[in-house]
Amino acid sequence: MVQIEPFAVEEWMDEHETSCTHNLAETCCASIDLTQLHSLIEDSSTKPASASDLFPASAKLTYGNIRGNDALRKNLANLYSSKAASPLPQDNILITPGAIAANHLVFLTLVGPGDHVIVHHPTYQQLYEVPKSLGAEVSLWEAKAEKDWVPDLEELKALIKPNTKLIVINNPNNPTGAILPRPLLQSLVDYIETKSIPILSDEVYRPIFHSISPISSSFPPSLLSLGYPLTIATGSLSKAYSMAGLRIGWVAARSADLVARIYAMRHYTTISVSMLDQTVAAAALDPGAVHALLARNIELARANAAILDKFVLRHDDVVDWVKPLAGTTAFLRFHRDGKPVDAGLLCRRIKEETGVLFVPGKECFGERFGGYVRVGFCCETEVLREGLDKVRVWMRKEFDDLPLLE
């Protein structure tokens, strides 16, 4: 029997998100509907006449292309190839039911008993608990707030063992909103290439870069663009593309052999992904729509990050953070008298007494994150503004009575 720890953040969301009034725990850019998607598509002879025509009513609901819709994979290949030295073939992309399935497939393919895996941390619990459940030893490559949540490459080098079979990174990062900057990525790739260890980059929050310029020397490309053959990237339409309900994710890799191995494993988990979902996804990622969609979401993230920044500044005696550069989440530390507050209790009371939902850091990301709260700030702007106003009023009356953690 597989032994695996409870998925803390998903259980927290499952317990609370349907009964809150202001969901500031959600990590997706504010969702769009098909009418909004249709309006984002540039006028052309190929634009569907209406939102209801995004999937032709006459199309037969077969399994479709088992690897994934051709148009969808072509559009993804174009996105990965735009800043790369060599194009990524569309056959090197496999469509999956969300990025969570994509990550799981990679682990099932590459990791087993007696192996060793190194995982960038803090991060989504799946990325370290699933390898453990498959019998691997997992070492955490810890990022720290005092270093702007950027981990030290020398510390990773010290973690490598003869049986290290996979390195896992999350860029942009959940929950901190930090990035692994380009120089660190390049140094990581240059070093790991000498070891011939595959690297999995969970890039589900790419390309929501709201507080760093594309011309910055630190601006991170997709790992697939850095020239190392044993790189794998996973992504989805849930976070950066506002369409979590489509359940469309993907695995992309430079190595055709790696793709073939992952595809062989995929037969045991997913015959195919919904034709309806993939057709809509292909329309969203078409050049005629994707740039407008991303512009909408980057502007949303930029505007909402500024609102959250004002909240932190207003409470800077009891709240601090490393301001996020990318993605849809921020990691705030609540403290008093130099000690972290009980953030789990804080989150429960705020939800019960104001209807605003946050995610507690210690309970959902690890023991070392006492006092931390993850805020998902890319919801509708009014939801964020109203939610933070409710929290502000609550803190004025109740914060001083919260217990402290030792």
Side-chain angles (χ1 to χ4, degrees):
M1 179 178 175
V2 172
Q3 299 294 321
I4 193 165
E5 293 294 321
F7 205 150
V9 71
E10 296 299 339
E11 292 193 353
W12 176 269
M13 297 294 288
D14 188 48
E15 180 183 354
H16 296 290
E17 67 179 334
T18 58
S19 58
C20 66
T21 60
H22 293 74
N23 190 346
L24 306 190
E26 179 58 75
T27 59
C28 303
C29 288
S31 298
I32 62 171
D33 58 33
L34 293 183
T35 300
Q36 289 171 298
L37 174 59
H38 185 261
S39 71
L40 291 171
I41 299 173
E42 294 178 357
D43 289 328
S44 69
S45 60
T46 59
K47 180 175 180 175
S50 67
S52 61
D53 294 322
L54 283 168
F55 185 82
S58 60
K60 292 189 176 183
L61 300 177
T62 68
Y63 282 120
N65 188 325
I66 301 302
R67 285 179 173 264
N69 178 297
D70 281 336
L72 174 57
R73 291 187 299 133
K74 177 183 178 182
N75 289 340
L76 283 166
N78 288 340
L79 289 174
Y80 279 114
S81 300
S82 63
K83 296 184 183 299
S86 58
L88 183 72
Q90 75 176 54
D91 281 346
N92 284 35
I93 297 173
L94 304 176
I95 305 303
T96 63
I100 195 167
N103 290 332
H104 207 110
L105 274 174
V106 174
F107 295 136
L108 287 173
T109 303
L110 299 182
V111 175
D115 291 338
H116 176 241
V117 177
I118 299 172
V119 182
H120 173 201
H121 189 259
T123 192
Y124 195 52
Q125 190 176 345
Q126 179 203 28
L127 298 181
Y128 49 94
E129 291 296 349
V130 171
K132 282 184 190 177
S133 75
L134 296 173
E137 176 192 1
V138 174
S139 297
L140 300 180
W141 184 29
E142 299 283 15
K144 303 176 179 67
E146 56 268 28
K147 294 185 178 180
D148 294 335
W149 299 116
V150 177
D152 188 323
L153 182 59
E154 294 304 313
E155 292 180 7
L156 178 135
K157 292 178 181 180
L159 294 173
I160 291 177
K161 301 181 177 183
N163 62 333
T164 301
K165 294 296 176 65
L166 185 65
I167 310 290
V168 183
I169 62 175
N170 176 206
N171 195 29
N173 179 257
N174 169 22
T176 67
I179 61 166
L180 299 181
R182 183 184 185 107
L184 175 60
L185 285 178
Q186 190 64 63
S187 296
L188 170 66
V189 163
D190 291 344
Y191 177 74
I192 296 303
E193 189 165 13
T194 68
K195 305 290 184 180
S196 296
I197 301 170
I199 307 175
L200 166 62
S201 182
D202 181 325
E203 298 178 353
V204 294
Y205 295 95
R206 182 178 180 84
I208 302 299
F209 297 103
H210 50 77
S211 299
I212 181 172
S213 168
I215 65 173
S216 168
S217 61
S218 295
F219 191 86
S222 170
L223 196 72
L224 292 185
S225 69
L226 295 182
Y228 178 38
L230 299 182
T231 52
I232 305 163
T234 54
S236 84
L237 289 186
S238 299
K239 312 301 183 182
Y241 298 93
S242 297
M243 290 178 284
L246 287 185
R247 304 310 304 136
I248 293 294
W250 56 85
V251 180
R254 280 290 169 188
S255 164
D257 176 66
L258 274 178
V259 173
R261 292 172 61 193
I262 295 167
Y263 184 52
M265 180 61 72
R266 184 178 176 278
H267 287 309
Y268 283 97
T269 63
T270 308
I271 294 176
S272 67
V273 180
S274 161
M275 284 183 64
L276 284 79
D277 292 348
Q278 290 190 79
T279 302
V280 175
L285 294 184
D286 186 85
V290 68
H291 302 298
L293 177 58
L294 288 174
R296 176 249 192 199
N297 288 350
I298 291 170
E299 181 52 38
L300 174 71
R302 187 173 290 126
N304 286 11
I307 293 170
L308 185 55
D309 189 26
K310 289 179 181 178
F311 174 87
V312 174
L313 288 172
R314 188 166 189 169
H315 300 89
D316 62 0
D317 56 331
V318 293
V319 180
D320 59 56
W321 69 341
V322 177
K323 187 175 180 179
L325 297 178
T328 66
T329 63
F331 218 26
L332 277 58
R333 188 176 73 96
F334 289 76
H335 54 87
R336 195 175 69 248
D337 302 327
K339 294 182 179 179
V341 303
D342 184 338
L345 179 61
L346 177 146
C347 289
R348 286 189 179 276
R349 286 196 57 192
I350 285 177
K351 188 264 179 176
E352 291 166 2
E353 297 168 31
T354 74
V356 178
L357 183 61
F358 292 144
V359 172
K362 179 180 178 181
E363 287 79 355
C364 294
F365 294 97
E367 285 292 321
R368 71 186 178 102
F369 301 114
Y372 279 93
V373 168
R374 188 188 75 181
V375 181
F377 60 86
C378 287
C379 52
E380 289 84 356
T381 298
E382 281 309 304
V383 172
L384 178 68
R385 184 178 285 114
E386 291 173 5
L388 292 178
D389 282 345
K390 285 176 174 287
V391 174
R392 175 182 56 79
V393 173
W394 184 91
M395 287 181 63
R396 190 170 62 218
K397 299 176 181 178
E398 307 291 343
F399 186 80
D400 286 347
D401 293 329
L402 285 171
L404 302 175
L405 299 177
E406 296 299 325

